[in-house]
Amino acid sequence: MDYIVVGEVLKAQGIRGEIKIKPLTDDPARFRKLRAVYIDERIFRISSCRINENVFLKLDGIEDRNEAEKLVGKFVRIDRLYAVTPDDDSYFIVDLIGCEIHGTDEDVFGTVIGVDNYGSADVITARAKNGKVFRFPFLKRVLYSVDTDKKIIKVDSRELESVCVYED
């Protein structure tokens, strides 16, 4: 089965087994439409969901705080079949991982190993062929195209070099 990560369990909330979720989705309101989630390899039916600044879930089978605390730090996943279709120029992080980064001159700069979001833009973390790790913002001025089916991200070589940061 193919899964999409939609959140991370931050803490147990209260004494009846509710959990607080850090949403890893553009629209936390999507949690209201979910009927079930996966944590580790276990499926949980959602008995209630409330959203204010945070997302809180009550899962069937998690009846007290002690059981809820065992889930802290774990990722909340859904079956990809139930994921929303990303808008144009939007991608699931899982689909970007493993993409090769090709320059305008067809050089291969490296392979995507992670994507982080710091607010203003997503930041791609990649490993170069020589093993060095580098990062760059996922900006339209840097990108020519993204083909997640072929696992290729085509970038403007000069723009990439101007915004790229290498680890020591």
Side-chain angles (χ1 to χ4, degrees):
M1 199 175 297
D2 199 10
Y3 300 105
I4 299 289
V5 174
V6 294
E8 180 180 2
V9 180
L10 293 177
K11 67 177 203 152
Q13 179 71 26
I15 62 171
R16 293 195 172 96
E18 190 175 48
I19 54 175
K20 180 179 178 181
I21 304 293
K22 173 185 174 185
L24 300 175
T25 176
D26 293 340
D27 183 8
R30 292 181 183 148
F31 277 88
R32 286 192 181 104
K33 297 178 182 176
L34 297 177
R35 301 235 189 286
V37 294
Y38 294 87
I39 299 176
D40 288 336
E41 296 306 314
R42 191 170 163 196
I43 187 169
F44 291 95
R45 191 174 158 284
I46 298 172
S47 56
S48 72
C49 173
R50 61 186 177 92
I51 301 172
N52 46 39
E53 304 90 45
N54 301 296
V55 175
F56 298 91
L57 297 180
K58 176 67 178 89
L59 306 176
D60 285 355
I62 304 298
E63 302 305 324
D64 61 35
R65 185 177 188 89
N66 292 335
E67 291 178 58
E69 286 176 346
K70 293 176 186 174
L71 303 177
V72 172
K74 297 187 184 270
F75 290 103
V76 178
R77 299 173 296 139
I78 61 170
D79 188 321
R80 188 180 188 112
L81 181 68
Y82 301 111
V84 297
T85 303
D87 297 331
D88 290 343
D89 297 331
S90 294
Y91 308 94
F92 290 123
I93 290 172
V94 69
D95 293 338
L96 296 174
I97 304 292
C99 285
E100 282 189 343
I101 302 163
H102 290 234
T104 46
D105 50 7
E106 295 302 320
D107 281 345
V108 177
F109 288 102
T111 304
V112 176
I113 59 173
V115 180
D116 295 299
N117 185 290
Y118 298 108
S120 61
D122 289 331
V123 176
I124 301 291
T125 301
R127 184 172 314 281
K129 290 186 277 185
N130 65 6
K132 286 197 171 218
V133 173
F134 64 97
R135 290 181 175 78
F136 65 94
F138 199 64
L139 300 173
K140 288 183 181 183
R141 72 181 184 133
V142 177
L143 300 171
Y144 272 131
S145 64
V146 177
D147 187 334
T148 56
D149 292 331
K150 292 182 182 174
K151 302 297 268 182
I152 294 175
I153 297 173
K154 196 157 201 152
V155 297
D156 180 314
S157 300
R158 287 190 305 195
E159 286 292 333
L160 178 68
E161 288 300 323
S162 74
V163 298
C164 187
V165 176
Y166 288 88
E167 283 186 1
D168 290 333

